[in-house]
Amino acid sequence: MKVWETIKLGLVLAAYAVAACVGLAFVYAKTKGEIDKQEGANLEASIKELFPGADNFLDITGTIINPDPGITFENQYSISQGTKLIGAAIQASGGSYGGPIKVLVGVNADGTINRIKIMSHSDTPGLGANAADEKYYVNKAAGITFYGQFSGKAVTDPIEPKHDVIAISGATITSMAVSQVVRTAGRAAAEWLTAEGAAP
């Protein structure tokens, strides 16, 4: 093959690569806004699930202090009923078996966990992925679901597998990851609520 033909082939391939990159950038730019909008709507709907009696959800992201560098606080909301501050919600993420696991944690003004919701994860289907199933039982005889066992816990409780959290069978790492996120976000939210005078 002549040198010119090699150069020509290289230029053609480079042109295709540039065209592909431009095309991907265009598609990303067109869809990112819609994706962000959908994620925002899902988050808002999930907060309403955690606090169905509330009527005011104020974005206070950056207000609640995160004490644990291993956990990331992504979104923070104050939850009110009329003019009364009744709780806070934090969407936080931490490392799990398959990568980051994102959990929405609702905390009542009295320092108890209201509810939690797993927003996204990459854990193993049939094992760690069961953490995202609101109907997955960790003790069916007692009617205890993995999700449900967090509701009502005081943020001062251990919130830890083998103590007061029943781990998902075959998914101890996932169970520990969720517990760590709930514990960290719960305690931080309760501290903020107390500082705001929301505690009863």
Side-chain angles (χ1 to χ4, degrees), residues 84-119:
K84 184 180 180 183
L85 180 61
I86 63 168
I90 299 177
Q91 181 171 251
S93 63
S96 188
Y97 185 81
I101 191 161
K102 189 179 295 186
V103 186
L104 181 63
V105 182
V107 181
N108 298 314
D110 65 359
T112 59
I113 303 296
N114 180 7
R115 289 180 64 193
I116 72 162
K117 183 177 179 69
I118 293 176
M119 305 299 287

Coordinates of all heavy atoms in Angstrom, one line a residue, residues 84-119:
K84 N -45.5 24.2 59.8 CA -44.7 23.4 60.8 C -43.7 22.5 60.1 O -44.1 21.7 59.2 CB -45.7 22.6 61.6 CG -45.0 21.8 62.7 CD -46.0 21.0 63.5 CE -45.3 20.1 64.6 NZ -46.2 19.3 65.3
L85 N -42.4 22.6 60.5 CA -41.4 21.8 59.9 C -41.5 20.4 60.6 O -41.4 20.2 61.8 CB -40.0 22.4 60.3 CG -38.8 21.6 59.8 CD1 -38.7 21.5 58.3 CD2 -37.5 22.3 60.3
I86 N -41.8 19.4 59.7 CA -42.1 18.0 60.3 C -41.0 17.0 60.0 O -41.0 15.9 60.5 CB -43.4 17.5 59.8 CG1 -43.4 17.3 58.3 CG2 -44.6 18.4 60.3 CD1 -44.6 16.5 57.8
G87 N -40.1 17.4 59.1 CA -39.0 16.4 58.8 C -38.1 16.9 57.7 O -38.1 18.1 57.3
A88 N -37.2 16.0 57.3 CA -36.2 16.3 56.3 C -35.9 15.1 55.5 O -36.1 14.0 55.9 CB -34.9 16.8 56.9
A89 N -35.5 15.3 54.2 CA -35.2 14.2 53.3 C -33.9 14.4 52.7 O -33.6 15.5 52.3 CB -36.3 14.0 52.3
I90 N -33.0 13.4 52.7 CA -31.7 13.5 52.0 C -31.6 12.3 51.0 O -31.9 11.2 51.4 CB -30.6 13.4 53.0 CG1 -30.7 14.5 54.1 CG2 -29.2 13.4 52.3 CD1 -29.6 14.5 55.1
Q91 N -31.2 12.7 49.8 CA -30.9 11.7 48.8 C -29.3 11.5 48.9 O -28.6 12.5 48.7 CB -31.3 12.0 47.4 CG -30.9 11.0 46.4 CD -31.5 11.2 45.0 OE1 -32.4 10.6 44.6 NE2 -31.0 12.2 44.3
A92 N -28.9 10.3 49.3 CA -27.5 10.1 49.5 C -27.0 8.8 48.9 O -27.8 8.0 48.6 CB -27.2 10.1 51.0
S93 N -25.7 8.7 48.6 CA -25.2 7.5 48.0 C -23.9 7.1 48.7 O -23.2 7.9 49.2 CB -25.0 7.7 46.5 OG -24.0 8.7 46.3
G94 N -23.7 5.8 48.6 CA -22.5 5.2 49.2 C -22.1 4.0 48.3 O -22.9 3.5 47.5
G95 N -20.9 3.5 48.6 CA -20.4 2.3 47.8 C -21.1 1.0 48.2 O -21.3 0.8 49.4
S96 N -21.5 0.2 47.2 CA -22.1 -1.1 47.5 C -21.4 -2.1 46.7 O -20.4 -1.8 46.0 CB -23.6 -1.0 47.2 OG -24.2 -2.2 47.6
Y97 N -21.9 -3.3 46.6 CA -21.3 -4.4 45.9 C -21.0 -4.2 44.4 O -19.9 -4.4 43.9 CB -22.1 -5.7 46.1 CG -21.5 -6.9 45.5 CD1 -20.6 -7.6 46.2 CD2 -21.9 -7.4 44.3 CE1 -20.0 -8.8 45.7 CE2 -21.3 -8.6 43.7 CZ -20.3 -9.2 44.5 OH -19.7 -10.4 43.9
G98 N -22.0 -3.6 43.7 CA -21.9 -3.4 42.3 C -21.6 -2.0 41.9 O -21.5 -1.7 40.7
G99 N -21.3 -1.1 42.9 CA -21.1 0.3 42.6 C -21.9 1.1 43.6 O -22.4 0.6 44.6
P100 N -22.1 2.4 43.3 CA -22.8 3.3 44.2 C -24.3 2.9 44.3 O -24.9 2.4 43.3 CB -22.7 4.7 43.5 CG -21.6 4.6 42.6 CD -21.5 3.1 42.1
I101 N -24.8 3.0 45.5 CA -26.2 2.8 45.8 C -26.8 4.1 46.3 O -26.2 4.7 47.2 CB -26.5 1.6 46.7 CG1 -28.0 1.2 46.7 CG2 -25.9 1.8 48.1 CD1 -28.2 -0.2 47.3
K102 N -27.9 4.5 45.7 CA -28.5 5.8 46.0 C -29.8 5.6 46.8 O -30.7 4.9 46.4 CB -28.8 6.6 44.7 CG -29.2 8.0 44.9 CD -29.5 8.7 43.6 CE -28.2 8.8 42.8 NZ -28.4 9.6 41.5
V103 N -29.9 6.2 48.0 CA -31.0 6.0 48.9 C -31.6 7.4 49.3 O -30.9 8.3 49.6 CB -30.6 5.2 50.2 CG1 -31.8 4.9 51.0 CG2 -29.8 4.0 49.8
L104 N -32.9 7.4 49.2 CA -33.6 8.6 49.7 C -34.1 8.3 51.2 O -34.7 7.3 51.4 CB -34.8 8.9 48.9 CG -35.7 10.1 49.2 CD1 -34.9 11.4 49.1 CD2 -36.9 10.2 48.3
V105 N -33.6 9.1 52.1 CA -33.9 8.9 53.5 C -34.8 10.0 54.1 O -34.4 11.2 54.0 CB -32.6 8.8 54.3 CG1 -32.9 8.5 55.8 CG2 -31.6 7.8 53.7
G106 N -35.9 9.6 54.6 CA -36.8 10.6 55.2 C -36.7 10.5 56.8 O -36.7 9.4 57.3
V107 N -36.6 11.6 57.4 CA -36.4 11.7 58.9 C -37.5 12.6 59.5 O -37.7 13.7 59.0 CB -35.0 12.2 59.2 CG1 -34.8 12.2 60.8 CG2 -33.9 11.3 58.6
N108 N -38.1 12.1 60.5 CA -39.1 12.9 61.2 C -38.5 13.9 62.2 O -37.3 13.7 62.6 CB -40.1 11.9 62.0 CG -40.8 11.0 61.1 OD1 -41.4 11.4 60.1 ND2 -40.9 9.7 61.4
A109 N -39.3 14.8 62.6 CA -38.8 15.9 63.5 C -38.4 15.3 64.9 O -37.5 15.9 65.6 CB -39.8 17.0 63.7
D110 N -38.9 14.1 65.2 CA -38.6 13.5 66.5 C -37.3 12.7 66.5 O -37.0 12.0 67.5 CB -39.8 12.7 67.1 CG -40.1 11.5 66.2 OD1 -39.4 11.3 65.1 OD2 -41.0 10.7 66.5
G111 N -36.6 12.7 65.3 CA -35.4 11.9 65.2 C -35.5 10.5 64.9 O -34.7 9.7 65.2
T112 N -36.6 10.1 64.3 CA -36.8 8.7 63.8 C -36.9 8.7 62.3 O -37.2 9.7 61.7 CB -38.2 8.1 64.4 OG1 -39.3 8.9 63.9 CG2 -38.2 8.0 65.9
I113 N -36.5 7.5 61.8 CA -36.5 7.4 60.3 C -38.0 7.2 59.9 O -38.7 6.4 60.5 CB -35.8 6.1 59.9 CG1 -34.3 6.2 60.4 CG2 -35.9 5.9 58.4 CD1 -33.5 7.3 59.7
N114 N -38.4 8.0 59.0 CA -39.8 7.9 58.5 C -39.9 6.7 57.6 O -40.5 5.7 57.9 CB -40.2 9.2 57.8 CG -41.6 9.2 57.3 OD1 -42.4 8.3 57.5 ND2 -42.0 10.3 56.6
R115 N -39.3 6.9 56.4 CA -39.2 5.8 55.4 C -37.9 6.0 54.6 O -37.3 7.1 54.7 CB -40.4 5.8 54.5 CG -41.7 5.4 55.1 CD -42.9 5.5 54.2 NE -42.7 4.6 53.0 CZ -43.4 4.6 51.9 NH1 -44.3 5.5 51.7 NH2 -43.2 3.7 51.0
I116 N -37.6 5.0 53.8 CA -36.5 5.1 52.9 C -37.0 4.6 51.5 O -38.0 3.9 51.4 CB -35.2 4.2 53.4 CG1 -35.5 2.7 53.2 CG2 -34.8 4.6 54.8 CD1 -34.2 1.9 53.2
K117 N -36.2 4.9 50.5 CA -36.5 4.4 49.2 C -35.2 4.4 48.4 O -34.4 5.4 48.4 CB -37.5 5.4 48.4 CG -37.9 4.9 47.1 CD -38.9 5.8 46.4 CE -39.3 5.3 45.0 NZ -40.1 4.1 45.0
I118 N -34.9 3.2 47.8 CA -33.7 3.1 47.0 C -34.0 3.6 45.6 O -34.9 3.1 45.0 CB -33.2 1.6 47.0 CG1 -32.7 1.3 48.4 CG2 -32.0 1.4 46.0 CD1 -32.3 -0.1 48.6
M119 N -33.2 4.6 45.2 CA -33.4 5.3 43.9 C -32.7 4.6 42.8 O -33.2 4.6 41.7 CB -33.0 6.8 44.1 CG -33.7 7.5 45.2 SD -35.5 7.6 45.1 CE -35.7 8.8 43.8

